[in-house]
């Protein structure tokens, strides 16, 4: 750890990070070079950094936003300036900055949820801790390593046939001859070192077992597949971060990638109510008798149009039904003189609930309308919800 980090606190660490922040390399990158820059700056495996971005992307897309921020803030490696031998830095191109800013603003607005905020916070915290422990490490893997200095002066000699590489003879020559006068055999190759026994052999099996137990415990509590997968993925993520410092194997990656995909699909299914059989398409019904009204009308994606305007409902009778759509539209028409209590819900989209209008995220409205004839007669209790899309409950 460098002296700045030892003597200062968070503020000193942040200043040191900004002054020595990772530089996106000209070669060896898969996309914009953000993962390669972090890996080269702190001496970790770039695969681990890429996996970390993929895992964070499962938290409401936080990994994608963090990658764009790295693309925006980390400079690009440039060819050496005239008279210099080391690579220089150049800022991100202006047109890329404009595109990234235009993408970041709506992305941040879209990600206002607890899961996404958790992912956005985890990335900078992990990078801060990495710099806190590895910030004094010298950058390796530059495209243009500095050349070796060439000795200069009067007392120089050159091997025959090697005029471009002058060398300085030893200060004391007991035989009175330069080394090129001796026809000595070439030195033999040194014996390869004995292979060291691999340390921390227990780490990967223990990490996989801990991830499995975490998933089993969460699943056993009845939380569902998505939270169970997220718990196992969190343990694997922590194991990969620790393993990067211990230089152990990459076994957790083989399990983390498919587990991340499963967690993403499961969370998407839970969020948008993809329960039971997958149903896609439009559903339009217009029941006349109350016995024809089902307790629930569901679609994974599409439209549920429930026309109750001609429903024959007697005085004092209460009819309740639910309409759910994962992505699409719910439209319910109610009779002109029936008392209606409507509960409208849209996670992302727009709703019109008996004259009450709203749009945005996490929308919930509960409206009771007794109709033009006032209280009395039959009553409808409606629950209308979409994950993404529109909800409309209108009086005919």
């Amino acid at each position: 750890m460098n002296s700045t980090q030892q003597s200062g606190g968070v503020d000193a660490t942040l200043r040191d990070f900004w002054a020595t922040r990772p530089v996106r390399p000209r070669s060896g990158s898969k996309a914009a070079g953000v993962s390669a820059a972090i890996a080269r700056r702190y001496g970790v495996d770039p695969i681990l950094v890429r996996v970390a971005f993929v895992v964070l992307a499962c938290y409401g897309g936080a990994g994608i936003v963090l990658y764009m921020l790295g693309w925006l803030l980390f400079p690009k490696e440039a060819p050496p300036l005239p008279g210099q031998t080391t690579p220089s830095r150049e800022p991100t191109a202006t047109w890329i900055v404009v595109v990234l800013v235009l993408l970041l603003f709506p992305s941040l607005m879209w990600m206002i949820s607890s899961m996404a905020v958790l992912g956005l916070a985890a990335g900078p915290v992990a990078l801060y801790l990495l710099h806190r422990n590895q910030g004094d490490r010298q950058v390796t893997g530059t495209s243009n390593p500095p050349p070796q200095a060439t000795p200069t002066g009067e007392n120089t000699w050159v091997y025959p046939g090697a005029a471009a590489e002058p060398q300085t003879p030893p200060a004391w020559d007991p035989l009175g001859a330069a080394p090129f006068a001796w026809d000595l055999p070439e030195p033999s190759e040194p014996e390869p070192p004995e292979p060291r026994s691999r340390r921390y052999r227990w780490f990967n099996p223990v990490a996989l077992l801990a991830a499995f137990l975490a998933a089993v415990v969460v699943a056993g509590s009845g939380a569902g597949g998505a939270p169970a997968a997220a718990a196992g993925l969190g343990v694997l993520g922590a194991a990969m971060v620790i393993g990067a410092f211990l230089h152990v194997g990459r076994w957790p990656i083989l399990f983390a990638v498919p587990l991340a995909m499963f967690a993403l699909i499961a969370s998407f299914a839970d969020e948008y109510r993809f329960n039971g059989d997958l149903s896609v398409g439009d559903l339009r019904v217009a029941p006349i008798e109350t016995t024809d009204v089902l307790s629930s009308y569901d679609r994974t994606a599409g439209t549920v149009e429930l026309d109750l305007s001609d429903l024959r409902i007697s005085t004092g009778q209460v009819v309740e039904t639910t309409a759910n759509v994962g992505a699409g539209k719910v439209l319910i028409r109610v009779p002109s003189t029936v008392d209606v209590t409507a509960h409208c819900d849209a996670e992302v989209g727009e709703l019109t609930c008996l004259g009450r209008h709203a749009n945005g995220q996490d929308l919930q409205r509960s409206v009771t309308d007794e109709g033009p004839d006032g209280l009395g007669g039959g009553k409808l209790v409606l629950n209308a919800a979409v994950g993404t899309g529109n909800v409309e409950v209108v009086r005919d």
Side-chain angles (χ1 to χ4, degrees), residues 6-396:
Q6 287 178 336
S7 61
V10 175
D11 185 59
T13 303
L14 293 178
R15 286 199 304 267
D16 183 73
F17 165 77
W18 183 254
T20 63
R21 63 190 183 277
V23 178
R24 294 183 287 114
R26 288 181 290 168
S27 60
S29 60
K30 300 299 182 182
V34 176
S35 299
I38 296 174
R40 192 179 71 173
R41 172 64 180 86
Y42 299 110
V44 298
D45 195 323
I47 295 180
L48 294 180
V49 182
R50 294 182 181 114
V51 169
F53 276 114
V54 172
V55 172
L56 290 175
C58 299
Y59 289 83
I64 300 174
V65 172
L66 291 173
Y67 195 91
M68 289 193 295
L69 286 173
W71 193 354
L72 181 66
L73 299 177
F74 293 167
K76 180 76 173 180
E77 185 181 42
L81 297 175
Q84 297 183 358
T85 57
T86 58
S88 60
R89 299 182 177 189
E90 64 180 15
T92 304
T94 304
W95 70 270
I96 296 179
V97 171
V98 173
V99 172
L100 290 175
V101 171
L102 292 177
L103 292 175
L104 281 171
F105 274 108
S107 299
L108 292 174
M109 295 297 295
W110 179 269
M111 296 170 56
I112 302 177
S113 67
S114 58
M115 187 65 71
V117 170
L118 179 63
L120 287 175
V125 169
L127 188 59
Y128 170 83
L129 295 176
L130 189 62
H131 185 81
R132 187 79 179 177
N133 290 276
Q134 297 284 94
D136 59 343
R137 183 184 178 279
Q138 297 295 324
V139 180
T140 61
T142 56
S143 300
N144 295 313
Q148 299 293 329
T150 301
T152 58
E154 296 180 357
N155 189 19
T156 61
W157 52 270
V158 179
Y159 284 105
E165 298 181 0
Q167 299 186 23
T168 303
W172 178 67
D173 188 359
L175 298 179
F180 57 77
W182 292 84
D183 186 13
L184 300 178
E186 293 292 332
S188 60
E189 293 291 334
E191 293 293 332
E194 291 292 331
R196 295 186 302 175
S197 59
R198 190 161 58 90
R199 302 172 61 189
Y200 306 110
R201 293 184 177 181
W202 51 266
F203 182 84
N204 287 321
V206 170
L208 297 177
L209 179 61
F212 175 75
L213 293 177
V216 169
V217 170
V218 175
S221 66
L233 193 61
V235 174
L236 288 179
M240 286 188 288
V241 172
I242 297 173
F245 290 100
L246 298 180
H247 301 287
V248 296
R250 304 174 181 176
W251 287 9
I253 298 177
L254 302 178
F255 297 86
V257 173
L259 191 59
M261 297 302 298
F262 174 78
L264 181 62
I265 295 172
S267 62
F268 187 73
D270 289 344
E271 180 178 0
Y272 294 114
R273 302 176 178 84
F274 288 179
N275 298 319
D277 296 333
L278 186 68
S279 56
V280 178
D282 297 338
L283 175 63
R284 292 180 173 87
V285 293
I288 302 299
E289 303 295 334
T290 57
T291 55
D292 297 331
V293 179
L294 302 180
S295 61
S296 178
Y297 299 90
D298 300 313
R299 278 292 181 269
T300 301
T303 299
V304 171
E305 184 176 340
L306 182 58
D307 188 355
L308 303 177
S309 57
D310 295 327
L311 184 65
R312 297 170 184 171
I313 181 170
S314 59
T315 301
Q317 188 176 14
V318 178
V319 177
E320 183 173 359
T321 187
T322 298
N324 279 327
V325 173
K329 180 179 180 179
V330 171
L331 172 60
I332 302 178
R333 303 182 186 275
V334 300
S336 58
T337 59
V338 173
D339 299 342
V340 180
T341 296
H343 305 286
C344 304
D345 183 3
E347 294 186 8
V348 178
E350 182 178 3
L351 61 81
T352 301
C353 194
L354 293 174
R356 304 287 182 86
H357 182 77
N359 60 73
Q361 292 182 331
D362 297 327
L363 305 175
Q364 293 181 349
R365 296 291 187 274
S366 294
V367 181
T368 299
D369 187 349
E370 298 172 354
D373 60 342
L375 182 63
K379 182 176 181 179
L380 283 173
V381 178
L382 307 174
N383 301 290
V386 297
T388 301
N390 298 338
V391 173
E392 291 186 40
V393 178
V394 296
R395 190 178 288 278
D396 190 34

